[in-house]
Amino acid sequence: MGPFGVTHDVRLPGMELFFSHVRLHGGPAPVRRFLPELVDLITSRQIDPGKVFDLDLPLDRAAEAYRAMDERRAIKVLLRP
């Protein structure tokens, strides 16, 4: 199991986190418990999970994509080559 959104080989600088007063919280996500039911609901078209990306930009506008997410104008940006 790995942290959601973080690669498995991530290393956290413990002393830096401690002295910067950063709090890091985590816990297990029971994804496997809900996944079979959710897949069935999606494939039977009882629910629509919606689209993943809400902004589509060319790769050379990556800085704008991050700005849009930071300013909450976008949730997930698709960057195209």
Side-chain angles (χ1 to χ4, degrees), residues 1-5 27-39:
M1 181 174 84
F4 178 76
V31 175
R32 292 184 192 274
R33 185 173 123 204
F34 299 107
L35 194 57
E37 179 186 356
L38 290 172
V39 169

Side-chain angles (χ1 to χ4, degrees), residues 3 12 25 29-30 34 42 50-51 54 57 66 69 78:
L12 298 173
H25 297 272
F34 299 107
I42 291 167
K51 62 182 187 178
D54 58 351
L57 293 173
Y66 279 99
M69 289 185 288
L78 174 63

Side-chain angles (χ1 to χ4, degrees), residues 1-76:
M1 181 174 84
F4 178 76
V6 179
T7 61
H8 290 269
D9 60 349
V10 69
R11 294 178 191 266
L12 298 173
M15 293 304 285
E16 282 181 45
L17 288 173
F18 179 79
F19 288 110
S20 65
H21 303 287
V22 170
R23 291 188 177 149
L24 181 63
H25 297 272
V31 175
R32 292 184 192 274
R33 185 173 123 204
F34 299 107
L35 194 57
E37 179 186 356
L38 290 172
V39 169
D40 287 343
L41 291 171
I42 291 167
T43 56
S44 67
R45 298 187 185 274
Q46 293 180 48
I47 63 171
D48 179 3
K51 62 182 187 178
V52 174
F53 301 100
D54 58 351
L55 182 60
D56 190 328
L57 293 173
L59 184 57
D60 62 353
R61 292 174 59 191
E64 181 182 338
Y66 279 99
R67 214 171 13 259
M69 289 185 288
D70 184 53
E71 296 170 355
R72 305 299 191 254
R73 293 183 288 115
I75 294 172
K76 187 72 87 172

